[in-house]
Amino acid sequence: MSNLGKYSRRGLLAVGGLVGGGLVLGIGGAFLSPDRLSRKGGDSYAGRLSTWITITPDDTITILVPHAEMGQGVHNALAMMAADEMDANWDHVRVAEAPALDDFANGYIVQAVALGRQVPAMLRHAVNVATFTIAQLGVVQITGGSFSVRSTGDIGMRTAGATARRMLLTAAAQKFGVPVETLTVKSGIISDPASGKTLRFGEIATAAASLPIPAEPVLKQRADFTIMGREIPRADIPPKVNGAARYGIDTVWPGMLYASIVASPVFGAKLVSVDAKPATAMAGVVRVVPLENAVAVVADSWWRAQQAVQALSPVFETIPASEVTSATLAKRIADTLAQDGKTDHHQGDGASALGTAVHVIDATYTAPFLAHATMEPPNATAVVANGQVEIWSGVQDPLAARKVAADAAGVSVANVTLHNALLGGGFGRRLPGAFDYVDQAVRIAAVMSPTPIKLIWPREEDIQHDFYRTTAAARFKGGLDAAGAPTVWTSTYVGTGDDDAAHLLYDIPHQAIDHATIDHHVRLGFWRSVDHSFHGFFTESFIDELAHAAGIDPFAFRRDRLTGRARAVLELAANKANWGSKLPEGQGRGIALVKSFGTLVAEIAEVTVATDGTVKINRVVAAVDCGDVVNPNAARAQVEGAIMFGLSAAMWGDITIDKGAVVQSSFPDYRVAQLADTPAIEVHFIDAGGPRGGLGEPGLPPIAPAITNAIYAATGKRIRQLPITKTDLRRA
């Protein structure tokens, strides 16, 4: 086990041209050559054009990416953006994840969230420094919210690549003795057309690294892209296929011991006592470790640790939450919906306009708690010795996880080294606030110091002690005029409010959207597409109800209240799905449109509902406007994955509570989609000229309403609660 060399921010700022100019941005996603990560300070910085990009004499271009790779292809995408602006030879590019050091904090995400991507030139330097500092203070090295490409990529990676290109050209011009404007560059080769001389990037990188940083590098126009827009194979796929890829759960060290854990069934209840004898009497068991709200067993194999912890009968305190059930929560939600909420968005005459409507429709929709159920269960390997902590795991914010480890061990963050691995699924479960498994691993390792401890949660712990997508509900009233046009839309929703997730894309003159909350003990976290996951279902289901009540085709009803990009996306989906064509008896077609994370997605689902009520999703057609697409193949995979994730939740996802505890425990009672459940999926991209949007999450929100609207078209039965299996769809 080797400790990662520590580098001060002052050192990173002082070299590689980071003082002043555009590459101060680069600190927020710094690039550092991998060979430097294994050595202490004082080594050569030759060839290092910024803390982001290193070029060695053999022309190898190393790009460190300050985002976690969990199957979304972010490492490839961000490297493509930098390499394209460099005019690099993609075959020479190597990609790695940036280390968990505050010099690699994601200042660009802070900037994108707080200020958007457009910052006046005169303020750019100050904004870059400020947002990077905020990211450091907030331990932000985060991957989530579909922000990586549209923040670090658009604001930082492209600028870093363009800056590196300009530095290389300037160095070459000095060597050739010609004006820089006369040179050309293509695929990592700089040419002087007048003399016929050429230089490879590797030949000139050391000289380029000593040059001042250009303050405002010129970015390419889309027509000039040579790497972005291409279906470049992802470097992480082959090792995942052949088994060479290393996830957090793959960590192995000599002499390592293993831990399994059982936590209090009721969130918030603390451990009172545990008799260790049933476990310590078992073969291979080394120690029983009590924690605040759990008990762990350490053994010489994980299976032995798991069997031993199951043999224990820990006593946890009884708290008021022990009386909570799904039924009591449902009643509290219903009672809250009946009251006035807090204004979220009002326009026109709001609810008072219902009095002038010819036809009023009233409906209530509900959605359950949902677990993440990532394929790789929570795990972390930790060593605590001599005031130092070293930890291996897969997380969506290494800096925040490093802080959790420091707090657990009672040491300074500077004494913690975190090695982030590939994630076997994240979806929000590995974001800040949900690092309980990191905390536990470090606390157990502290007790077992200096032995390395590998903690793996069993699937039952994963399902029953997640940070769940919230349960939510919404009550709607909609008014139609004599021609069937919607004149008023009102809703009160209970759940969390994510920006404008409950707001309408459609032109309805009078709107009153209110928000209410309830308190409960179930711990909540971010879940793929967050609040859009349930608001998409609520809104697109009720807009479908209005369309049918008006006697107007659901596609036409939506289209006539849309303009611009939203209308173009809806029309593309309808065209590709052959909307309006006749389907056989028992089949239906449903449509939904949701804007989330800056991206518009319309989806059309075709389903078959058998007489016994069994639902089969046959086909899903998606139209997506996320702006310019970096890698079309990876982009399609993102949308396909989001569709399947959302389909799984819509059909079967349901976390219920009894006596304060989660009822479900593993895949037999928390079912996820399997290969046989996968429909034919088509994804079509359209770029209507808008800003780049996210892509990891926007494919999810439309799928549930597209399916339930299709079921209505097939059966005449309106589904107002998820999962779909809760509704009896049997036909005589």
Side-chain angles (χ1 to χ4, degrees):
M1 290 174 291
S2 63
N3 286 316
L4 196 63
K6 307 299 190 296
Y7 299 93
S8 70
R9 182 164 72 93
R10 182 185 299 274
L12 286 169
L13 286 168
V15 277
L18 284 176
V19 177
L23 274 190
V24 172
L25 250 86
I27 306 168
F31 283 94
L32 205 61
S33 60
D35 62 320
R36 290 207 63 254
L37 300 182
S38 61
R39 290 184 273 150
K40 300 291 183 181
D43 52 340
S44 172
Y45 287 83
R48 184 149 99 48
L49 296 186
S50 73
T51 50
W52 285 25
I53 300 169
T54 297
I55 304 176
T56 53
D58 65 355
D59 291 334
T60 299
I61 301 170
T62 301
I63 301 177
L64 292 191
V65 174
H67 291 284
E69 180 58 69
M70 47 190 165
Q72 79 278 40
V74 68
H75 284 184
N76 250 43
L78 293 182
M80 287 172 66
M81 299 174 85
D84 199 327
E85 293 290 351
M86 290 179 69
D87 277 315
N89 183 333
W90 179 254
D91 292 338
H92 296 165
V93 174
R94 303 293 179 266
V95 188
E97 185 171 327
L101 297 171
D102 64 0
D103 301 286
F104 298 85
N106 296 145
Y108 298 121
I109 285 187
V110 175
Q111 183 173 326
V113 171
L115 303 172
R117 283 163 290 189
Q118 302 303 317
V119 176
M122 69 180 70
L123 299 176
R124 199 162 295 148
H125 174 80
V127 168
N128 294 338
V129 173
T131 53
F132 170 63
T133 302
I134 291 169
Q136 284 189 312
L137 293 173
V139 289
V140 176
Q141 195 181 25
I142 201 165
T143 305
S146 296
F147 261 117
S148 300
V149 168
R150 60 191 175 124
S151 61
T152 300
D154 268 342
I155 305 173
M157 286 288 179
R158 292 186 62 194
T159 301
T163 301
R165 178 181 185 274
R166 184 68 182 182
M167 293 166 70
L168 290 161
L169 281 169
T170 301
Q174 292 176 356
K175 188 172 183 65
F176 291 145
V178 299
V180 69
E181 292 77 13
T182 65
L183 300 182
T184 62
V185 57
K186 181 179 180 181
S187 196
I189 303 292
I190 299 172
S191 302
D192 176 17
S195 66
K197 294 179 181 179
T198 62
L199 281 170
R200 305 187 330 271
F201 278 4
E203 294 178 286
I204 201 68
T206 299
S210 66
L211 296 175
I213 295 294
E216 292 293 330
V218 178
L219 301 183
K220 288 183 177 181
Q221 297 299 310
R222 181 175 180 179
D224 298 323
F225 293 164
T226 58
I227 295 176
M228 286 188 281
R230 289 170 50 193
E231 297 197 343
I232 291 179
R234 282 168 45 185
D236 62 315
I237 298 299
K240 289 176 178 176
V241 173
N242 65 30
R246 310 308 292 172
Y247 295 84
I249 203 169
D250 295 321
T251 304
V252 176
W253 289 107
M256 182 173 74
L257 294 176
Y258 298 80
S260 186
I261 200 162
V262 168
S264 166
V266 180
F267 300 117
K270 295 181 180 180
L271 178 68
V272 175
S273 64
V274 60
D275 180 1
K277 296 185 185 66
T280 54
M282 300 174 71
V285 172
V286 177
R287 187 161 182 171
V288 173
V289 181
L291 299 171
E292 183 180 35
N293 65 343
V295 60
V297 169
V298 178
D300 59 4
S301 76
W302 185 81
W303 179 249
R304 283 178 164 177
Q306 166 64 358
Q307 294 301 297
V309 81
Q310 290 297 313
L312 298 175
S313 300
V315 177
F316 296 98
E317 64 181 348
T318 299
I319 59 176
S322 301
E323 303 301 318
V324 175
T325 68
S326 288
T328 61
L329 283 172
K331 184 177 186 306
R332 288 167 62 189
I333 290 172
D335 291 344
T336 302
L337 282 179
Q339 303 170 13
D340 293 334
K342 180 181 178 181
T343 297
D344 183 341
H345 171 74
H346 283 194
Q347 80 176 42
D349 293 334
S352 62
L354 285 169
T356 62
V358 173
H359 188 188
V360 175
I361 299 91
D362 189 333
T364 297
Y365 286 81
T366 62
F369 293 111
L370 292 175
H372 295 87
T374 60
M375 289 299 98
E376 180 190 16
N379 68 90
T381 300
V383 179
V384 179
N386 303 318
Q388 301 287 314
V389 178
E390 198 156 5
I391 191 160
W392 294 259
S393 191
V395 298
Q396 290 176 248
D397 190 332
L399 283 183
R402 184 172 169 235
K403 176 66 165 56
V404 167
D407 291 345
V411 301
S412 166
V413 172
N415 293 336
V416 178
T417 299
L418 186 144
H419 307 276
N420 204 32
L422 293 171
L423 282 64
F427 318 121
R429 178 57 179 96
R430 290 172 162 90
L431 280 172
F435 291 145
D436 47 355
Y437 54 97
V438 173
D439 176 272
Q440 292 166 349
V442 172
R443 292 181 186 278
I444 297 167
V447 172
M448 302 302 299
S449 176
T451 303
I453 300 297
K454 182 177 185 176
L455 170 66
I456 305 175
W457 282 23
R459 183 60 67 184
E460 291 78 9
E461 287 297 298
D462 174 38
I463 298 297
Q464 295 188 324
H465 295 88
D466 200 351
F467 288 81
Y468 303 92
R469 199 284 307 270
T470 186
T471 183
R475 182 180 180 184
F476 295 96
K477 289 185 179 181
L480 304 173
D481 65 16
T487 58
V488 56
W489 172 286
T490 75
S491 71
T492 299
Y493 66 88
V494 173
T496 47
D498 179 9
D499 295 328
D500 57 357
H503 298 184
L504 296 178
L505 287 171
Y506 306 104
D507 181 16
I508 298 177
H510 306 289
Q511 300 178 28
I513 300 172
D514 296 333
H515 176 213
T517 59
I518 63 168
D519 294 325
H520 55 71
H521 75 297
V522 180
R523 60 187 196 176
L524 303 179
F526 295 103
W527 192 89
R528 194 171 187 175
S529 80
V530 203
D531 298 344
H532 295 279
S533 63
F534 54 83
H535 280 301
F537 168 62
F538 296 162
T539 299
E540 284 299 298
S541 295
F542 191 62
I543 202 77
D544 215 68
E545 288 210 49
L546 293 181
H548 283 282
I552 300 173
D553 173 81
F555 160 66
F557 189 84
R558 288 171 168 83
R559 178 200 59 203
D560 293 346
R561 277 138 203 99
L562 296 170
T563 58
R565 295 173 60 204
R567 180 165 180 154
V569 168
L570 189 79
E571 290 176 336
L572 177 62
N575 177 266
K576 296 296 184 180
N578 197 19
W579 182 270
S581 61
K582 188 172 178 58
L583 292 172
E585 180 71 20
Q587 294 189 22
R589 190 181 283 121
I591 190 168
L593 170 69
V594 178
K595 182 179 181 181
S596 62
F597 307 94
T599 294
L600 285 151
V601 181
E603 290 174 4
I604 294 174
E606 294 178 1
V607 308
T608 298
V609 183
T611 55
D612 66 356
T614 302
V615 176
K616 178 175 175 55
I617 297 96
N618 304 314
R619 181 188 185 209
V620 176
V621 176
V624 181
D625 184 354
C626 61
D628 188 27
V629 175
V630 175
N631 187 328
N633 184 53
R636 280 194 299 273
Q638 282 282 74
V639 177
E640 291 164 351
I643 286 171
M644 289 307 301
F645 199 85
L647 179 155
S648 186
M651 291 295 298
W652 306 288
D654 192 15
I655 290 293
T656 58
I657 308 297
D658 186 44
K659 296 180 180 178
V662 171
V663 173
Q664 291 70 29
S665 63
S666 192
F667 292 126
D669 58 4
Y670 191 79
R671 182 179 169 185
V672 298
Q674 302 175 7
L675 285 175
D677 302 310
T678 306
I681 301 176
E682 301 172 27
V683 181
H684 304 276
F685 291 98
I686 179 174
D687 184 358
R692 196 191 308 274
L695 206 51
E697 298 167 283
L700 189 149
I703 189 61
I707 293 171
T708 57
N709 292 340
I711 290 172
Y712 179 82
T715 66
K717 294 185 177 181
R718 179 65 66 182
I719 293 176
R720 296 192 179 98
Q721 64 174 344
L722 294 178
I724 291 167
T725 50
K726 281 187 173 181
T727 301
D728 186 355
L729 296 173
R730 290 174 295 180
R731 291 180 289 140

